[in-house]
Amino acid sequence: MSCCAAVSQVAALRAPARPSRSGRRSCAARCAQQDPLLLRVARGEEAERTPVWLMRQAGRYMAAFREYSDRIGFRERSETSSIAIELSLQPWRAFQTDGVIMFSDILTPLPALGIEFDVIKGKGPRIDNPIDSMEAVRALRPMDDPLSRLPFVHETLSTLRSEIDGSGATLLGFIGTPWTLAAYSVEGKADRNCRRTKTMMFNNPAVLHALLEHLTEALIAYVGYQIEAGAQVVQLFDSWAHHLSPEQFAEFSMPYSERIIAAVRAKYPHVPLIFHANGAGGKHALLAQSTADVIGLDWECTMAGARQAIGSNRTLQGNVDPMVLFGTEDQIRKAVTRCLVEGGPRHHILNVGHGVIEGTPEESVGLFCELARQSADILAAHGKAPAKQPPSQPAFHMAGSGEGAHLRVLQAEIDRLQNAVAHLVQSNQDLRAAIDEEGDDEDRTFKTAIEDNIVTIAKYRAQAERLERELRELRAGRHALGGEAIPTEDEAAAPAAGTAGAAAGSGHQQGQQATGAAAAGRDTSMTDAAEQAEGQQAQQAGGGGMWM
């Protein structure tokens, strides 16, 4: 591996140096509180009010957003982490949404597979070499190394997670579904009839299915990559579902999305998944069969009708017409109130039915979000009072979907920290090998990166050790209060965290061994001062907080 490639991996894994704008609290304080509202509702838990976020909530309707979009192209904005982070946070700061969604695009993973695209201002995405044959499908790359191919995604998500930690907001990642990405890849652009893709569907369905297979496997890896970077909820956008009849949807879209949901849930059972199919008004019977934790709805149906078709106990998201936000305050209040009442006091996330439209008044978005914060009173006035806030109690009683759910979330976070340590240890080995291969590092760029890595490794290990202590105390406390015994990490590995926890734990052990070996052969240019800084950082990290 070259020095540049190694440094790229290091940059993607390293936690942000600046403190969170929202401030930090001790791990013990955070563990004593509930998880964020949107995360709890997405898991199907009772809540004190309806949470809110908006699809395409970072966009050109905001003046602050246009300061970037008017002078910087889309891919540069979305693939430059510092810009993507700022654009992701703008609507959260302005409107206090319960969710922060990464500023990115459903097409973002395509270049990692060998499908390059650009976004032409005023025209949308363009793919110069659309997929048109089985040979083109076979030439696609697998998503085998998202960290090196899409490092900005990791940096954006991990920094956002750090920024909103303790604020009560939930971090959302997202992907396009295999069908939607396949349609873009075959059309090369947005097409009102989806002509090329449907021609392939009717004349060469084997090619389309092969493309969908490849995209499905890639997206499983990409969702996992987002979760390991910090995403707490992930939404699957089937933006082009409206091009499909119910029969076509049942063959070319839903089975592939379901495979992603099943694979991700097996490895990351603590992360809720949202499935949003645009134009799915005639597909509710199919949506009712989806295993997603949340079903996203557009505005082509009533929330009451969707409830009846999909199920009263399913969590639904939506579904206000985004054009309502161009209306009067009274019209906005009526539409949101209707949606809240039909959605009910349980199992509902307020959202628009699709993305916020360019030109939407910012004050209308602010009112939309404020009405969600008033939802308990609005619902009570219509005879649908939400669940009362449960009394303060130990975190393990506040887990919701399963007595040990909160503990499993803690364990998953420990696994994630340990996995990051293993990656950083490997990066240091790659950097040292590159220095040996390419000669003296006169400007100390790579030796400095190694030293910084050592400090970050110490920080992550200290955080993981603190969480492990917290986990042991919670398990012991729960047992003392008469709850059923919580299994140890080894006993819970298979049912709680699946292969992810076991793999991460193995990576942690390998990381410790590799770090010990690397320390023995450390360059003499790594001064005693750097090692002292490592120890100081480790001590400071002990109170650094639960999340990276």
Side-chain angles (χ1 to χ4, degrees):
M1 176 183 289
S2 70
C3 286
C4 291
V7 167
S8 175
Q9 286 197 1
V10 170
L13 279 165
R14 189 173 297 132
R18 62 184 183 280
S20 168
R21 294 188 183 95
S22 59
R24 290 189 176 275
R25 297 170 295 160
S26 71
C27 178
R30 196 158 41 249
C31 286
Q33 296 192 9
Q34 288 177 307
D35 287 326
L37 174 66
L38 193 153
L39 177 59
R40 285 186 279 129
V41 173
R43 287 198 301 235
E45 300 174 22
E46 299 283 341
E48 58 276 16
R49 69 167 176 86
T50 304
V52 61
W53 69 283
L54 298 92
M55 287 181 278
R56 210 181 295 147
Q57 64 185 22
R60 285 176 289 176
Y61 72 97
M62 293 188 71
F65 183 94
R66 290 195 300 274
E67 291 179 7
Y68 290 84
S69 63
D70 288 347
R71 55 190 177 84
I72 303 173
F74 176 82
R75 283 196 64 176
E76 184 178 354
R77 275 179 279 139
S78 64
E79 297 179 14
T80 303
S81 296
S82 59
I83 298 175
I85 291 161
E86 170 62 22
L87 297 179
S88 302
L89 291 173
Q90 285 177 351
W92 176 61
R93 296 193 207 106
F95 310 120
Q96 301 171 55
T97 53
D98 295 304
V100 174
I101 189 164
M102 167 182 64
F103 177 74
S104 186
D105 193 81
I106 58 174
L107 303 187
T108 292
L110 291 184
L113 309 181
I115 304 173
E116 285 295 334
F117 76 96
D118 198 3
V119 179
I120 310 300
K121 192 169 184 177
K123 295 183 178 180
R126 292 290 186 273
I127 295 172
D128 289 335
N129 296 301
I131 302 296
D132 59 0
S133 65
M134 189 65 82
E135 289 70 26
V137 174
R138 290 172 178 153
L140 295 175
R141 296 191 294 260
M143 182 70 76
D144 55 0
D145 189 10
L147 183 59
S148 65
R149 296 184 188 277
L150 304 166
F152 52 88
V153 172
H154 192 291
E155 187 172 351
T156 297
L157 283 168
S158 61
T159 304
L160 286 171
R161 181 71 174 268
S162 180
E163 291 287 338
I164 67 174
D165 178 27
S167 70
T170 297
L171 179 60
L172 295 105
F174 71 92
I175 61 167
T177 61
W179 159 253
T180 290
L181 293 190
Y184 264 114
S185 301
V186 173
E187 298 295 328
K189 60 181 180 179
D191 184 90
R192 63 180 298 182
N193 296 311
C194 214
R195 183 177 62 84
R196 286 187 175 186
T197 314
K198 286 208 159 182
T199 299
M200 181 182 288
M201 179 188 295
F202 297 131
N203 292 277
N204 294 293
V207 176
L208 182 55
H209 278 299
L211 177 57
L212 290 165
E213 288 279 349
H214 190 95
L215 290 169
T216 297
E217 293 303 317
L219 290 168
I220 289 169
Y222 187 47
V223 173
Y225 177 54
Q226 292 187 29
I227 291 170
E228 301 231 357
Q232 295 166 288
V233 177
V234 177
Q235 174 156 309
L236 285 69
F237 278 94
D238 203 354
S239 301
W240 282 19
H242 63 286
H243 286 293
L244 297 173
S245 69
E247 293 79 10
Q248 294 161 356
F249 183 73
E251 180 179 355
F252 293 96
S253 178
M254 195 165 166
Y256 295 99
S257 295
E258 282 295 299
R259 277 176 48 190
I260 294 172
I261 292 168
V264 172
R265 181 169 288 128
K267 193 170 184 180
Y268 306 98
H270 61 289
V271 177
L273 300 173
I274 304 170
F275 180 61
H276 176 85
N278 187 40
K283 306 177 178 77
H284 284 168
L286 290 166
L287 289 179
Q289 300 173 31
S290 172
T291 59
D293 300 276
V294 182
I295 302 298
L297 303 166
D298 63 23
W299 66 94
E300 295 181 10
C301 63
T302 64
M303 185 62 72
R307 274 254 173 258
Q308 185 175 7
I310 297 174
S312 60
N313 292 325
R314 298 297 299 274
T315 302
L316 304 181
Q317 176 179 279
N319 67 333
V320 176
D321 179 354
M323 293 303 294
V324 167
L325 299 179
F326 287 88
T328 64
E329 179 178 334
D330 185 55
Q331 289 294 331
I332 295 170
R333 287 183 180 275
K334 286 180 179 178
V336 173
T337 297
R338 184 184 306 112
C339 185
L340 288 170
V341 172
E342 292 186 0
R346 299 170 185 82
H347 310 307
H348 181 214
I349 298 169
L350 181 64
N351 207 316
V352 286
H354 205 236
V356 182
I357 306 298
E358 181 181 1
T360 299
E362 292 187 43
E363 58 269 23
S364 295
V365 177
L367 174 60
F368 184 86
C369 296
E370 178 57 33
L371 290 170
R373 289 187 286 275
Q374 297 173 11
S375 59
D377 292 336
I378 292 171
L379 287 162
H382 288 77
K384 295 189 175 185
K388 292 182 179 179
Q389 181 75 6
S392 178
Q393 50 188 317
F396 39 76
H397 286 303
M398 304 168 80
S401 56
E403 289 279 331
H406 189 74
L407 300 179
R408 290 195 291 272
V409 171
L410 270 176
Q411 183 62 57
E413 188 63 22
I414 293 168
D415 293 341
R416 190 165 69 89
L417 284 161
Q418 292 172 343
N419 192 44
V421 167
H423 279 297
L424 287 166
V425 168
Q426 183 60 52
S427 293
N428 268 5
Q429 293 176 333
D430 292 339
L431 283 164
R432 290 192 181 93
I435 291 172
D436 291 341
E437 181 180 340
E438 298 181 17
D440 231 3
D441 182 21
E442 294 181 0
D443 60 2
R444 288 184 50 80
T445 300
F446 308 120
K447 290 175 183 174
T448 299
I450 292 172
E451 292 167 2
D452 289 346
N453 265 3
I454 291 170
V455 172
T456 305
I457 287 168
K459 172 184 172 182
Y460 285 2
R461 281 187 175 150
Q463 288 178 342
E465 288 167 6
R466 185 177 181 83
L467 287 180
E468 286 170 340
R469 287 196 301 272
E470 192 74 34
L471 198 57
R472 287 194 296 271
E473 291 169 6
L474 287 171
R475 284 195 174 103
R478 186 173 187 276
H479 184 70
L481 288 175
E484 65 183 71
I486 296 294
T488 65
E489 286 89 345
D490 291 339
E491 293 168 340
T499 56
S506 174
H508 178 49
Q509 293 172 355
Q510 293 170 1
Q512 288 179 319
Q513 295 167 358
T515 301
R522 185 177 298 157
D523 263 314
T524 54
S525 60
M526 295 181 191
T527 62
D528 292 339
E531 298 205 8
Q532 290 172 3
E534 175 181 342
Q536 291 169 355
Q537 286 286 341
Q539 291 176 352
Q540 294 169 3
M546 180 174 173
W547 312 117
M548 285 196 290

